[in-house]
Structures are given as structure tokens and as C-alpha cells.
Amino acid sequence: MTEQPLPQGVWAAPGRVNIIGEHTDYNDGYALPIALPQVVTCAAAAATGGYVRVTSRQHPGETVREPLAGLADSEVTGWARYPLGVVHEYLRRGHEIPGVELELDGAVPVGAGLSSSAAVECSVAIALRDLFGLPVTDTDLIDIGRAAENSYVGAATGTLDQSASVLCTAGHALFLDFGKGEHAQVPFDLAAAGLALLVVDTNTPHQLVDGGYAKRRTECERAAAALGVGSLREITDTADVERIADPVLRRRARHIVSENDRVLTVAETLRGGGDPRAIGPILTAGHASLRDDFEISTPQLDAAVEAALSAGAHGARMVGGGFGGSIIALIEADRTEPTARAVAARFRAEEFAEPRTFVAVPSAGAHRVS
């Protein structure tokens, strides 16, 4: 096999955490994510011969080489299916790619609920757009990534992760209105208020293709149908969900309706220049809703939230699709280490895997590096 040519460019796309707004995207609701400083990079070079070749520095010694004409029927599984899905989606939409070689390198923790898969998809999507000069908008990039994950990988996600990875800007949270397809930047400078957003990766990887995520999506659709609306976004009063006879569907709907309200309240507080500490209890309420009504938390996530709150966090909640992953805790900037130690001590006491922590700083969306 010939040596991979030098890359013609390197592109990067970030992971994300939601300040608030989980499972609202596929319900036409609202969310408020930030992009992380951790990114996935994609070094890309045009090639001839009608093939795509993918390598990853996180998977040394593994090289995937597939003919472009055979991508629709490819049986490749695992990490390489995400970039292949993006290439396939470009081709399916009629864009011309004569051949391409991709090398991935990722710093977004995998399985931590921080959208590592979307970071892969968006880094590849923007690389292909720029490399081949394809007439693709940011909206198209987001939809290409979503389609790759839904149809090619098999995870029934919405567009939240890809939207955050493409549209976020440094120093801001991104307000997303999925029903109207609109977005806006919301100032989010915790450092100026003497605060920090601590991410705790519980080291319990989740897999959205395992079925729990898709089941929740179906339950939300059934709940909307029971209420006679097209999506749960149309319901703005949690009292209305009491009309749903099925107790499971009633709980699912209550989370979505209340979560939309939490997003709007947090966004309004931040836009108005209020003290960010005020959003802490809203974050904690969001965790309770995900734990009790949406039922996607885990003992590790609950323990991390409880430990952070006991250590003085203003608020804490799980983030991402659930069934594992990470939490965020809104803390005083000088409480980073004590909070991390408190969570680690709780995990040792519970005999859980050792957690990993870092401070999340609102960062830029997908862009060309070189």
C-alpha cells in the first residue's frame, strides 16, 4: 500500500456540552449548548481512484479503505463508520468526490456524552466541503452529519450535536430553536463572574445505538400523538401532560415540556446580564427531570451530581443522551479542585471507575486549522 500523501489541509470540529436542553432537539424544542475546547481534527487530501481511506491516531494500525461506489453497502463497523457515513451522504446528495484520504485525531472523550461522534462527522464534513469546493452551507453540514449518524451509523439522534459543533462561537452559548430552525449567540462568560463549569466524565461510556435513545424518541412521538399535537414543543404547560393516560408517556412528555421552559429561562437570565449563579437550581432541576421523568440517568451520574452539590456547586446535572457519560457542575472558580476531589472520593466509596474532570470553556465551532 502506498504511503498516505501529505494532507492538503487540516480541519477541526469541537465536542459540546449543553448548559440545558436534553432530548429537546427531536421534539422541535430548545437547547443551549457550548462548544468545548476539545476537538476532533481531520487531515484530508484529495485522491484519485474512487476510494476513501480512513485512519485514526486513536486506532493505530487500523486502516479502512473502501470504494466510493460501494459505501452504501459497506459492512465496516465501529469508529470508521462515522467518517464513511459523511462521505456516503455527500455522494448520495449528488456531490462529486473523486477520492479522498482522511486522518482523524480526537481529543473529545469517547462515550462521555460530549458529542465525540458529531465532532468526527463535522470535521470530516467541513473538510470535504472545503477540499472539493462543494456548494454546501452550514445548515447543510449539520444535516449531512445528522443523516450520517441516523441512516448510516444507526443512532436516531436529532441535530443538536452537529448544530453546536458547527455554529458555536467562543465566549458564547448557542440558543437553538429547533422548531423554527433559528439560532442566536448568548454571552456566557463565567470567568468574569468568578465561576467555572466543571465537566465530570464518569468513565461509564454510553452507546446511543444500543436502543435506549431511539426508544425515548419513539415514546416522545407517542406522547405527542396522545396529546393531539405534531410535537411536544406545542405544549407549554406541564399541567397539560396529565391528560396522557400512559404513565410512562406522561413522564416523558413532562420532561420535554419542563426542559423547554428551563432552556428559555436560562437563556433569558444570561441575555439579561443576570448573575449566572441564578441558573444553578435550574440545572439541578433538569437533572431530576432526566433522572425521574426521562429515566436515563445512572448511579454514577447521580452520585457525581450529589457529590458536586455537597461540595458547594450552585447546580449540577447530567448531560448528553444518557445511560452513562458526564455531568456538569456550576461552581465558584476557586472550587474546581475541591469539587473534583469530592466526586472522586464519592466514586471510590461507591467502588465506581475513577472519574475524569476538566473545566469547560465556551469555544469556537468547526473551522480550518491549516
Side-chain angles (χ1 to χ4, degrees):
M1 183 176 293
T2 59
E3 183 177 307
Q4 182 178 0
L6 291 174
Q8 292 169 227
V10 179
W11 290 261
R16 68 97 188 96
V17 293
N18 263 351
I19 307 306
I20 194 75
E22 303 294 359
H23 288 265
T24 50
D25 54 345
Y26 57 80
N27 286 288
D28 289 342
Y30 311 98
L32 193 70
I34 62 170
L36 295 173
Q38 289 87 346
V39 301
V40 170
T41 59
C42 176
T48 58
Y51 71 93
V52 52
R53 181 173 181 264
V54 186
T55 60
S56 168
R57 293 188 181 181
Q58 280 63 57
H59 299 273
E62 296 183 37
T63 298
V64 175
R65 191 179 190 278
E66 291 282 289
L68 294 175
L71 284 180
D73 301 314
S74 173
E75 296 182 356
V76 170
T77 60
W79 66 270
R81 194 156 185 86
Y82 292 88
L84 291 182
V86 174
V87 178
H88 169 68
E89 189 61 23
Y90 266 104
L91 296 172
R92 193 189 68 80
R93 296 178 183 218
H95 297 291
E96 293 187 11
I97 298 175
V100 68
E101 303 204 354
L102 308 169
E103 181 183 68
L104 302 175
D105 189 8
V108 183
V110 176
L114 304 176
S115 301
S116 59
S117 58
V120 169
E121 294 152 4
C122 293
S123 68
V124 173
I126 192 172
L128 294 174
R129 179 187 71 177
D130 293 357
L131 190 63
F132 296 105
L134 302 176
V136 171
T137 65
D138 284 349
T139 300
D140 295 330
L141 287 177
I142 292 165
D143 194 57
I144 286 169
R146 190 257 338 144
E149 185 140 354
N150 289 180
S151 302
Y152 204 75
V153 177
T157 62
T159 59
L160 166 62
D161 298 348
Q162 295 82 6
S163 296
S165 193
V166 171
L167 299 173
C168 278
T169 61
H172 294 80
L174 179 71
F175 176 75
L176 291 164
D177 181 335
F178 296 101
K180 294 183 178 179
E182 298 175 352
H183 68 274
Q185 304 295 333
V186 178
F188 193 62
D189 186 358
L190 293 182
L195 296 169
L197 191 69
L198 185 70
V199 177
V200 179
D201 175 1
T202 64
N203 202 11
T204 52
H206 69 166
Q207 294 287 339
L208 295 185
V209 294
D210 284 350
Y213 189 103
K215 183 179 180 181
R216 294 302 182 279
R217 184 165 185 162
T218 298
E219 289 169 341
C220 288
E221 292 169 352
R222 291 172 57 200
L227 291 169
V229 295
S231 73
L232 290 174
R233 179 225 177 82
E234 297 177 46
I235 306 299
T236 58
D237 188 341
T238 54
D240 289 341
V241 307
E242 299 305 317
R243 295 189 282 115
I244 302 176
D246 186 304
V248 172
L249 299 185
R250 188 163 61 242
R251 290 196 298 271
R252 304 299 185 256
R254 185 164 53 229
H255 165 70
I256 298 302
V257 175
S258 63
E259 187 81 342
N260 279 331
D261 184 64
R262 283 186 285 272
V263 175
L264 294 173
T265 301
V266 170
E268 182 179 3
T269 299
L270 296 176
R271 284 196 190 104
D275 186 346
R277 291 169 181 82
I279 74 173
I282 303 173
L283 305 187
T284 305
H287 180 76
S289 180
L290 289 162
R291 180 193 64 210
D292 301 335
D293 282 340
F294 225 59
E295 298 180 280
I296 59 172
S297 190
T298 66
Q300 291 89 342
L301 292 167
D302 293 341
V305 166
E306 291 165 7
L309 292 172
S310 295
H314 298 288
R317 69 175 196 87
M318 60 155 288
V319 295
F323 311 104
S326 302
I327 74 152
I328 55 171
L330 181 66
I331 60 176
E332 295 295 320
D334 61 1
R335 295 291 299 169
T336 299
E337 289 302 322
T339 305
R341 288 196 299 268
V343 175
R346 174 67 180 271
F347 273 44
R348 284 193 298 272
E350 299 280 357
E351 298 184 344
F352 294 151
E354 184 177 358
R356 297 181 286 260
T357 60
F358 65 90
V359 173
V361 178
S363 302
H367 59 281
R368 184 167 187 163
V369 177
S370 64

